[in-house]
Amino acid sequence: MATSIDPLDLLRQSIISSLPPTLLTSSSSGASNLAEASFLSFPPVPSLTDSPTNIAKDISTRYTSKAGSKDEFYNIGQLWLAWNERESGVRDYLMKGQAGGVGYVTITDRRGVVEYLAGESEGVGRVLGKEEKVEAGQAPSAASATAEALPSSLQSSEAGPSKPAAPVKRKYEVDVADREFCKKLRAEEIELRDRNTVLRSSGGGKVNNFESFLKTVMVEKIRALRQSFDKGASKAAAPAQSQTVPTGPKKARSTHPIIIISSSPTSLLTMWNVKKFLEQGIFEPSEIARQNEVAQGNYKAEDVVPILRKRSGPHGDVTSKYFVVDGVEALQKFGQDAWDRVICVVTTGQAWQFKPYKWQDPRILFRNVKGIYFQWHNEPVNPTVKDWNVTEMRIDRNKRHTDRQVVADLWRILDGARRK
């Protein structure tokens, strides 16, 4: 195991270079999940290592688990899990973190960690410099920060030159005031099992009787409501009968279409450059677009980007609104019927993109939703997407990043998909 290599730098650079680590057991055989693994095995990473490197999954990194902290850090296993499960739902992610044996990155830190590992941010305020990181043994990781450290000054009386000293665990002493306070809390605790336990009082578990309240207050309220409904119905009946023209069914509320793009850092279209591309027909590389936004004080990409499409109609200019997201977490903001509004999925040809989708098999997905695959004009055809029923579109990097015709063709394809 190489100890001179910074674990955080190695993990980040391996992800950016598309050379992610694999999991190994203590016997150096492959592990199928983090719980079975003891090490993260990194292939040679350019500019860092010339040979494979194994790092224990619980090794602490320089990424702090609390903003402003200099003594609590996430370990490399937790950061790897946050990246590897970046498309998983919260419930699945937490369960895998608990089963992995190293803990997990908190939900509030999860997106920031993923963006840092992908090279989309610099982890300002959360990543300490190498000179700031305290020496190993003085800084507990987030997974072990709650464990009680044994006092090193307590040593076995049998220790000698030929027998090393062994730490002795200090006996735990119960604080009397704390114990009485906990007893009081326990006595006032209510265990909610059914509707009666919800309504019972805290004193002795007696079920409250609401019969008198129902007979006095609620009966009058219900009677008044019924009378108001009866009067309203009778007044509405006369105008309704006088109308000779029947009214049709109420028009459903309009909903704006949704486009899903890939969250992969290798994607040509990202949340940084998609708005300028679809609205103006100008392609700007994602990294340049991100740098321009950072210069304006925008350090984090939006998870939902509105797109205004302007076009000429018979009665003047028409503006249509679309939304672009790069994952199912943002898609869930649109409600339970969000997938009914998805008209297009832009893919990079990586099957992991579809793992949290409604349809995980790309062949089934692209029978229900239009698929688009962007690539450079001089790249060969990707054999992976040939059987996925997707439309391949090429961007010419030699046209000064301007290709309005590609965008016009894309809108024409999406218009056809919406009419089906």
Side-chain angles (χ1 to χ4, degrees), residues 33 37 46 82 90-91 167-168 181 244 254 260 267 282 358 371 409:
N33 54 61
V90 173
R91 181 175 178 272
V168 179
F181 180 73
T244 57
S254 61
I260 303 179
S267 176
I282 299 177
K358 180 179 180 180
D409 292 342

Side-chain angles (χ1 to χ4, degrees), residues 173-186:
E173 297 179 0
V174 179
D175 186 278
V176 178
D178 288 346
R179 180 176 59 187
E180 295 303 320
F181 180 73
C182 291
K183 285 183 178 180
K184 183 179 179 181
L185 288 179
R186 181 62 179 173

Side-chain angles (χ1 to χ4, degrees), residues 237-299:
Q241 292 175 358
S242 63
Q243 293 179 357
T244 57
V245 180
T247 58
K250 187 177 180 181
K251 186 178 180 180
R253 64 182 181 90
S254 61
T255 54
H256 302 297
I258 300 172
I259 300 172
I260 303 179
I261 65 176
S262 175
S263 61
S264 172
T266 62
S267 176
L268 294 183
L269 283 188
T270 68
M271 301 300 279
W272 294 106
N273 64 1
V274 66
K275 186 175 182 70
K276 192 171 185 178
F277 181 67
L278 294 181
E279 288 187 350
Q280 303 178 32
I282 299 177
F283 178 78
E284 187 175 51
S286 178
E287 182 59 27
I288 295 177
R290 185 185 71 83
Q291 292 174 2
N292 293 336
E293 290 295 324
V294 170
Q296 299 177 19
N298 302 321
Y299 297 96

